[in-house]
Amino acid sequence: MVWAERHRGRLAALAIAAVVIAVGVPLWWKTTETYRAWLPVAQINELAQLQLQLSVEVEVVFSKGTLTAEHQKKIPPSNTRQEEHVVDETTRLRYRYETRYRTATIMEEDALNQSTAAEADISLHMLSESPSGSVVIYVVPESSTVLPEGVSVYVGQRRTALLRAGGQMRVAVALKEVLASLETWIKQVLQVMSFSHGDITAALSDRVRPGDRSREGLADSMRAFKSSPGYEITFSLLNPDPTSHLLHWDVEAAISSYIQPLLSKMAPVANFSIDSQILYYAVLGVNPRYDPTLNAYTLNADSLSHVINPVEARLGSSAASSNPVLNFLLYVPDSRHSPLHITDHRRHTVPSNAFSSPRWGGIMVYNVNASGTELPVDVHIDMRRVMGVFLPQLRLMLGVQSAAPPPGFLIGPCGNAGLADWELDRLMWTRSVENVATATTTITSLAQLLDQIGNIVINDNIAEQVSSAVASLQLAVGQLEVGNLGLAMQYSKEAILQSERAFFDPSLLHLLYFPDDQKFAIYIPLFLPMCVPILLSLLKMASEVRQRPGQGQAKKD
Amino acid sequence: MGTAGVSASCINMASCSSLKILTLLSLFLSPTIVETNNIEAKAGQFFSSGHTNNWAVLVCTSRFWFNYRHVANTLSVYRSVKRLGIPDSHIVLMLADDMACNHRNPKPATVFSHKNMELNVYGDDVEVDYRGYEVTVENFLRVLTGRLPPSTPRSKRLLSDDRSNILIYLTGHGGNGFLKFQDSEEISNVELADAFEQMWTKRRYNELLFIIDTCQGASMYERFYSPNIMALASSQVGEDSLSHQPDLAIGVHLMDRYTFYLLEFLEDIHPSSTTNMKDLFKVCPKSQCVSTPGHRTDLFLRDPGSVLITDFFGSVRKVEITTDTINLTAPMVHLEDTRPVRELRTEIQTYMDQLPVAEIIHQKPKQKDWHPPDGFILGLWTLILLVFFKTYGIKHLKHIF
C-alpha cells in the first residue's frame, strides 16, 4: 500500500530529524567545545577596581619640657588622620595615619639626654623595638642639645626620629594649636620615613600609565629594577693587561662583609644570588683621551654610553632563572692608559671614578700605581673603597631612594647593613603596592583575554592558580589596610608569583584563529549533504499536512 | 644687571668705552651659556625615548636551498644589529634552514649577501637560537608572548620589560594576510596582532619596530591595534617583493631588494649617529625596489622624526655618574675555608655503552604509520571497477556495496 509506505517514510524522516536534533546537535556541541575551567570572574572584576588603604602607626613621645603639665593631662591618647586620593577611575588610595601620643618614660629621658643625636638613637633602640611599618617620633624641647644647630629633625637608623619642638609650641596656649603645629612637622617626617604620595603613584605605574611626569620622576622610575622575586648579582674584575698587573681581589670576603648584610636585610623583599668572575684581555670599547692638564687619560661622560656594549658581550652569565641580572664591573686600566679618570659633562673629574647604567649595573675604574721594575706588578685591590662605591650603586638599582631630604632634616648614617630600617620600610611599602598593582593588572588582563578569545583551553591548574592568586591579593590588600607591612609584602609576593605563573602558562597559547568564512567552509561540506534530505522531507510533510484539510474537504464533496 | 648699572652711569665718553668692553665680554660669555644649555638638552634626550634596553627578534621562515636569500636577509639584519651594539643575549635569531652548511653550498660555512661574494654575513660568532624545525608559528608566538615551558634556557627567551624597545624582523614567503612558515603552516595577521596585544597588556615592550620583507607585506601590519608600534613593509597588498641579484657561482638569488638597500642604509649608521626614522622610510623607493615599501606610524606615540635609528637597531645605554659613596669603616672578615675536604673516590668508574652497535645492526624495521592509498592507486582501482561494471552491467553493483 502506497499510503502505508508513505506513512512509514514520514515516520522515518521524523525519527531521523529527531535523532539529529536531540542527540546529534548536543553531541557535536559537546565534542567541539574547548574545556574551560571555572574562573572566579566576579572576584577578578572586583579587583579591577582597586581601592588601597595604607595604614601607618605613628607614635609621638613627648619628653620633659615640651608640654606644660596642663597639656600633659589633656592629651588625647590617639588620633586618626585620613587622606584620600583618586588616581584614576579604577584606582583610589587612602592613607590612614594612626597617631598615639604619650609621654616619655624615665629611661627614654635618660637616653635623650645624650650628647649627640647618634648616641641617643642607639640608646633608644636598646629600649624598645618597633614593628615594621611603624614610625616613632620623639619630641625634644627646643633647648635640648641632642640635635645640632639648625637641625629640626634627626632621622635615626631604625624607625625613630628626633623632632625639636618649634617656637610655636611654646607660644601656643591651647593643646589643639600645639598639636596642629606638630602635625606639619610629623607629615614631613612621614613623607621621608614612610612613603609620599609621589612614591605610591610611581609604584602604581603598571596600572596607571603616567601622563606627564617630571624628568626626575621619569629618571627615578627608569633607574631601579621593577619588583621581581629574585635578582642575580655578578661582580666582575676586568684586567686588560695581565702582563703588567697581577691583580688580587678578595671578593668573597668583601661580599660577605659588606654586601651580604644588605642583602640579608632585604630578604623579605627578594632573593639574591651572587657570583663573581675575572675577565682577562677585556677592553673598553672607547679610546680614552690624554689630558695634559691632569696628566692623565680621561673618559668623558658622553662616550661612557658606548663602553658597556662591547663589554657586555664578554660577560657570561650563569643565571639559570629569568631573574634580572645586575652587573658590577671593576676595570683596572692597562699601563699604557694609566691613570684613567672619568670626567662629567662639565669636564670635572668624578671623585668616585664610577658610573652606572639604569637597570644594568655599575662600572668603576680603579687606578693602580704600577711603578715597579719587575712586571707583572702585584696589586692588592682595596676592596673597602671598591665596595664603598658599589654599595650605593646597588642601593640605587634596588630602589632604595635617597632623595634629598627637606630643609632642617639630618639623616643619620645607615649602619652596618648599609640600609636603615626605615629605608627598608619605605622600599617595602612601594614594592608591596607595586606587586599588588602588577598582580591585579595581570589577573584582570588574563580574565579579559580568556573572555575575548573563546578558543583557548583553560585547564584546572590555571583556574587553581588564578583562584589562589586572587586569594593572596585579597589577603595582601587586607594586611595593607591593617598596617602589617611584613605580612603584606609576603602575600603580595605570593600573589605576583602565582599570577605570573597563571598568565605565562604554556598551555594558554591561542594558536588557531578561525575567521567566520573558514568556519563555514569547514562545516558546510559535512553537514549540508546530511541536512538537505532531512529538511526537504520535513518541508514536504509540512506542505502535505497543510494540503490535507483541503483534500479532505474535496473528498467529502 | 651689571650692564644696566653701567649704562645708567654712562654719561661721559670715558665710561662708554667700558660699556663697550662689557658688551663684548657678555658676547663672549653667551656662547658658553648656550653650550651648557646644549649639554643639558643632550642629557634630556637621554631620557626622551623612555627605554633602557634593546631586544631584537629576527625570523627567517623559509627552508630549502632556493630560499637562500631569506636566510641572507635575516643574517644581514643580525649583523647590523650586533655591530650597532645589541648583544647576543638580547637577540633571538630564528633560522628555518641551515644554508651555510647545506650540502649544496659551494662555499661551506659562508652566507653571502652580495654577488662576487663580497660580504659574508655568517661570520664567526653567529648565535642561532631557534634552528631548523624549531622555527614554527607556535614557537614564534611563544617567544613573543613569553609562554615558554619552564625548561627553556635564557637564550631562547624574550626577557623584555616595560622599558625595552624591540625590533622584530620577519622575512619569507607571504601573501595577503599571512606569512608562510616552513612550507607547511602559516601565521595570520590577526594572530600577530593578538600576540602584540598580549605583549602590551603585560607591558613587555616600550616601543616596537616591526619590519617585514615578504610579498604583500603591508597586509601583515594592517590589523595591529596596540599602541607604540611602528611598522615597515617591503611591498603593498597585491605587489610582490622581488629579489636582488643572483650569484652565478652559488646559483641562487642572494638577497631581497628591500633588505639589500636596508643593509646599505644601515652600514652608514654608527652607534652615535642621529639619523631618524624618516630616513628609514625613504629606503628603497619604487625605482630601486620595483615594489612600493609601506609604513604605518599611526599607533606610534612619538613623532617618527624624533625617533633615532639607534633607538631600535642599536643599544645606546643611558649612563649616570655615581656621586654618592659610602665610607665603609668595618674591617673585612676573612672567610675561613669552611668547605669540607673532599674525600678521594675509590670506586672504579666505567663509561656506559654509548654506541650499542650490536643492537643497531640487528634492529627490527620500524613500524611505519599506515597511510591511505595513494592517488595513483585509487585511480587505478576506479578504472578497473568502471571497466568491470561497463562490461558486466550495473545490476551487479548491489552485490558489491
Side-chain angles (χ1 to χ4, degrees):
Chain A
M1 295 249 292
V2 177
W3 187 85
E5 228 181 80
R6 265 229 199 116
H7 182 69
R8 231 188 16 215
R10 263 186 238 131
L11 280 177
L14 275 172
I16 292 175
V19 165
V20 163
I21 294 176
V23 178
V25 167
L27 196 66
W28 166 70
W29 191 261
K30 234 10 204 135
T31 47
T32 53
E33 162 184 272
T34 47
Y35 178 71
R36 295 171 78 98
W38 178 83
L39 287 179
V41 183
Q43 293 180 3
I44 293 174
N45 288 338
E46 252 179 49
L47 283 174
Q49 294 282 332
L50 188 65
Q51 184 148 7
L52 269 183
Q53 177 179 304
L54 304 176
S55 298
V56 184
E57 279 178 25
V58 185
E59 204 179 318
V60 180
V61 184
F62 291 99
S63 70
K64 209 163 25 164
T66 44
L67 289 178
T68 61
E70 239 182 68
H71 288 169
Q72 271 184 12
K73 275 184 242 155
K74 284 198 281 177
I75 269 196
S78 69
N79 180 26
T80 312
R81 180 169 62 92
Q82 281 192 0
E83 266 178 43
E84 299 243 359
H85 295 271
V86 178
V87 181
D88 68 355
E89 55 288 339
T90 52
T91 321
R92 299 159 79 142
L93 291 169
R94 194 190 306 166
Y95 306 138
R96 195 183 149 86
Y97 300 104
E98 290 176 9
T99 325
R100 279 188 299 134
Y101 300 101
R102 65 177 176 88
T103 48
T105 61
I106 300 180
M107 290 187 286
E108 285 172 345
E109 292 285 346
D110 281 337
L112 286 172
N113 276 335
Q114 308 265 339
S115 49
T116 62
E119 285 174 24
D121 200 36
I122 296 175
S123 0
L124 281 170
H125 290 144
M126 299 210 257
L127 293 175
S128 63
E129 180 78 34
S130 34
S132 156
S134 61
V135 176
V136 184
I137 303 179
Y138 289 93
V139 186
V140 292
E142 208 179 333
S143 53
S144 161
T145 50
V146 74
L147 290 173
E149 274 294 315
V151 170
S152 314
V153 181
Y154 174 81
V155 179
Q157 274 182 23
R158 302 287 175 89
R159 297 182 176 99
T160 53
L162 301 177
L163 172 62
R164 192 203 294 273
Q168 296 154 320
M169 288 188 51
R170 215 172 355 111
V171 173
V173 175
L175 183 61
K176 259 190 253 171
E177 287 179 30
V178 168
L179 290 178
S181 68
L182 208 57
E183 266 307 305
T184 43
W185 279 108
I186 293 180
K187 266 195 213 167
Q188 279 196 346
V189 171
L190 283 174
Q191 287 211 342
V192 168
M193 287 180 72
S194 235
F195 52 82
S196 66
H197 183 57
D199 294 336
I200 301 291
T201 38
L204 286 172
S205 65
D206 210 53
R207 278 182 78 87
V208 179
R209 202 69 181 146
D212 301 291
R213 258 215 267 165
S214 69
R215 206 198 291 158
E216 290 82 32
L218 194 60
D220 269 339
S221 77
M222 281 169 50
R223 190 184 299 124
F225 278 92
K226 281 192 83 74
S227 170
S228 161
Y231 298 94
E232 318 261 347
I233 306 180
T234 306
F235 290 93
S236 313
L237 173 64
L238 271 67
N239 188 358
D241 200 3
T243 49
S244 318
H245 304 135
L246 187 59
L247 301 173
H248 302 277
W249 74 333
D250 196 359
V251 64
E252 277 189 48
I255 289 175
S256 68
S257 316
Y258 304 124
I259 306 283
Q260 195 58 49
L262 170 70
L263 299 180
S264 318
K265 197 156 183 192
M266 287 186 65
V269 178
N271 299 326
F272 295 92
S273 100
I274 315 181
D275 53 11
S276 63
Q277 61 180 342
I278 305 183
L279 289 173
Y280 294 104
Y281 293 108
V283 291
L284 299 180
V286 184
N287 277 330
R289 282 212 201 107
Y290 184 70
D291 191 349
T293 54
L294 295 167
N295 199 20
Y297 288 87
T298 57
L299 264 183
N300 194 20
D302 294 329
S303 52
L304 287 176
S305 29
H306 306 300
V307 163
I308 297 181
N309 286 322
V311 176
E312 188 173 4
R314 299 292 208 88
L315 294 174
S317 169
S318 63
S321 63
S322 318
N323 290 332
V325 179
L326 286 86
N327 292 300
F328 292 100
L329 271 59
L330 185 62
Y331 180 73
V332 177
D334 47 339
S335 51
R336 274 181 305 128
H337 290 125
S338 269
L340 182 61
H341 293 290
I342 297 179
T343 55
D344 61 10
H345 293 289
R346 292 192 207 88
R347 303 278 189 273
H348 300 149
T349 56
V350 175
S352 62
N353 225 11
F355 63 98
S356 63
S357 178
R359 298 204 180 176
W360 184 80
I363 300 186
M364 177 178 177
V365 177
Y366 188 91
N367 290 314
V368 293
N369 215 354
S371 58
T373 48
E374 213 177 84
L375 294 177
V377 179
D378 263 329
V379 180
H380 290 270
I381 295 184
D382 180 11
M383 293 307 291
R384 264 198 276 179
R385 213 182 94 201
V386 168
M387 289 302 171
V389 170
F390 282 158
L391 201 54
Q393 284 180 347
L394 179 62
R395 279 164 50 110
L396 273 179
M397 298 277 146
L398 291 175
V400 180
Q401 292 147 320
S402 44
F409 274 64
L410 178 66
I411 312 273
C414 41
N416 290 338
L419 186 72
D421 279 8
W422 57 270
E423 284 179 321
L424 180 63
D425 282 352
R426 242 186 111 104
L427 190 63
M428 279 169 69
W429 282 115
T430 46
R431 287 290 194 224
S432 16
V433 171
E434 196 182 327
N435 285 350
V436 166
T438 315
T440 47
T441 36
T442 308
I443 294 277
T444 44
S445 51
L446 178 63
Q448 215 179 351
L449 182 79
L450 294 175
D451 204 31
Q452 245 178 354
I453 305 178
N455 279 341
I456 296 187
V457 175
I458 307 177
N459 287 329
D460 284 326
N461 66 330
I462 296 176
E464 228 179 79
Q465 275 164 0
V466 169
S467 307
S468 52
V470 167
S472 304
L473 264 175
Q474 287 170 337
L475 279 170
V477 171
Q479 294 296 331
L480 276 177
E481 261 184 43
V482 177
N484 289 337
L485 193 53
L487 279 177
M489 183 80 218
Q490 196 188 328
Y491 286 131
S492 67
K493 272 204 307 195
E494 272 176 34
I496 265 229
L497 274 172
Q498 283 153 356
S499 60
E500 301 263 317
R501 216 180 295 146
F503 192 91
F504 287 120
D505 193 273
S507 72
L508 281 180
L509 189 70
H510 160 57
L511 199 51
L512 303 172
Y513 165 69
F514 284 128
D516 289 327
D517 47 344
Q518 285 189 18
K519 268 196 197 129
F520 279 127
I522 291 174
Y523 282 132
I524 283 179
L526 288 175
F527 288 142
L528 203 61
M530 179 185 69
C531 285
V532 163
I534 297 176
L535 274 172
L536 285 179
S537 54
L538 284 176
L539 281 173
K540 198 159 158 214
M541 274 196 301
S543 60
E544 274 179 16
V545 163
R546 241 183 280 129
Q547 272 179 20
R548 222 192 288 138
Q551 258 185 19
Q553 277 189 355
K555 271 197 182 154
K556 275 184 185 163
D557 287 350
Chain B
M1 198 182 90
T3 46
V6 170
S7 62
S9 62
C10 174
I11 304 169
N12 48 356
M13 301 298 278
S15 51
C16 270
S17 60
S18 60
L19 172 61
K20 279 194 213 151
I21 294 170
L22 219 72
T23 46
L24 275 171
L25 272 174
S26 61
L27 274 175
F28 274 118
L29 280 174
S30 46
T32 50
I33 296 170
V34 170
E35 197 188 291
T36 49
N37 276 341
N38 270 345
I39 291 172
E40 302 266 338
K42 256 203 239 168
Q45 209 203 20
F46 272 147
F47 291 100
S48 68
S49 60
H51 75 281
T52 58
N53 53 38
N54 285 77
W55 285 80
V57 179
L58 312 172
V59 184
C60 161
T61 59
S62 19
R63 55 172 35 243
F64 305 130
W65 173 247
F66 50 83
N67 289 323
Y68 184 101
R69 58 189 187 282
H70 296 140
V71 174
N73 286 352
T74 319
L75 283 173
S76 10
V77 176
Y78 173 75
R79 182 178 173 277
S80 314
V81 147
K82 260 181 84 159
R83 185 178 56 82
L84 290 171
I86 303 186
D88 270 316
S89 54
H90 284 228
I91 303 179
V92 178
L93 178 62
M94 304 171 80
L95 296 180
D97 202 359
D98 187 4
M99 297 304 166
C101 300
N102 195 309
H103 55 271
R104 290 169 77 166
N105 192 350
K107 299 267 177 196
T110 58
V111 173
F112 291 108
S113 70
H114 202 277
K115 69 171 188 229
N116 302 328
M117 304 189 203
E118 279 173 20
L119 183 59
N120 174 19
V121 290
Y122 200 64
D124 286 335
D125 56 351
V126 171
E127 193 184 290
V128 183
D129 300 304
Y130 286 85
R131 58 190 69 194
Y133 286 108
E134 289 173 354
V135 179
T136 57
V137 174
E138 181 184 338
N139 281 348
F140 176 57
L141 288 179
R142 281 191 192 282
V143 165
L144 286 183
T145 52
R147 299 211 165 94
L148 289 158
S151 56
T152 320
R154 269 182 99 106
S155 56
K156 282 188 165 179
R157 286 181 189 259
L158 179 64
L159 294 169
S160 54
D161 54 27
D162 63 324
R163 295 260 166 230
S164 309
N165 276 8
I166 308 184
L167 165 73
I168 298 188
Y169 176 82
L170 295 175
T171 183
H173 289 288
N176 190 356
F178 66 91
L179 172 63
K180 188 172 74 160
F181 265 70
Q182 301 263 19
D183 225 26
S184 61
E185 51 180 2
E186 58 191 38
I187 183 173
S188 64
N189 48 5
V190 179
E191 283 179 291
L192 197 56
D194 280 343
F196 286 158
E197 175 64 16
Q198 290 189 48
M199 286 174 81
W200 176 250
T201 50
K202 203 62 190 74
R203 297 283 183 266
R204 273 165 72 76
Y205 68 88
N206 178 37
E207 288 168 351
L208 200 86
L209 177 64
F210 176 78
I211 304 184
I212 183 160
D213 188 353
T214 62
C215 305
Q216 308 195 50
S219 64
M220 288 305 282
Y221 61 64
E222 272 171 6
R223 301 291 199 111
F224 291 165
Y225 55 95
S226 321
N228 268 347
I229 301 185
M230 196 184 325
L232 283 109
S234 59
S235 55
Q236 302 289 337
V237 174
E239 287 180 348
D240 288 336
S241 282
L242 301 178
S243 57
H244 187 59
Q245 46 181 213
D247 181 293
L248 296 175
I250 299 181
V252 283
H253 286 261
L254 293 182
M255 280 269 269
D256 277 333
R257 284 178 190 241
Y258 183 74
T259 312
F260 182 82
Y261 290 107
L262 181 69
L263 179 62
E264 241 182 47
F265 173 79
L266 287 174
E267 290 285 306
D268 287 332
I269 310 279
H270 54 91
S272 47
S273 66
T274 51
T275 337
N276 59 32
M277 280 294 166
K278 290 223 159 97
D279 301 321
L280 189 62
F281 296 155
K282 296 194 206 120
V283 162
C284 204
K286 197 170 163 98
S287 52
Q288 282 173 331
C289 252
V290 184
S291 57
T292 324
H295 57 268
R296 180 177 175 180
T297 51
D298 58 316
L299 293 166
F300 206 74
L301 291 177
R302 289 193 289 152
D303 171 42
S306 70
V307 180
L308 300 177
I309 301 282
T310 50
D311 277 350
F312 289 104
F313 283 90
S315 176
V316 182
R317 303 272 184 179
K318 324 279 191 249
V319 290
E320 283 179 336
I321 305 280
T322 306
T323 45
D324 301 321
T325 54
I326 294 181
N327 202 3
L328 293 168
T329 47
M332 275 203 315
V333 175
H334 289 272
L335 289 173
E336 300 285 323
D337 198 359
T338 50
R339 286 179 295 221
V341 177
R342 264 175 286 164
E343 289 165 4
L344 293 172
R345 289 185 154 241
T346 48
E347 348 167 329
I348 300 173
Q349 311 238 334
T350 52
Y351 279 108
M352 67 169 249
D353 198 2
Q354 289 174 347
L355 196 64
V357 177
E359 276 179 37
I360 296 174
I361 291 178
H362 298 295
Q363 226 176 22
K364 288 208 178 82
K366 218 166 55 155
Q367 290 277 37
K368 274 212 197 145
D369 296 322
W370 180 81
H371 291 287
D374 223 348
F376 168 75
I377 298 180
L378 265 178
L380 204 60
W381 286 358
T382 318
L383 191 64
I384 293 170
L385 279 172
L386 272 174
V387 166
F388 173 80
F389 286 116
K390 192 98 168 81
T391 331
Y392 294 105
I394 208 80
K395 62 181 189 289
H396 292 273
L397 204 59
K398 66 173 190 275
H399 296 293
I400 308 294
F401 294 111

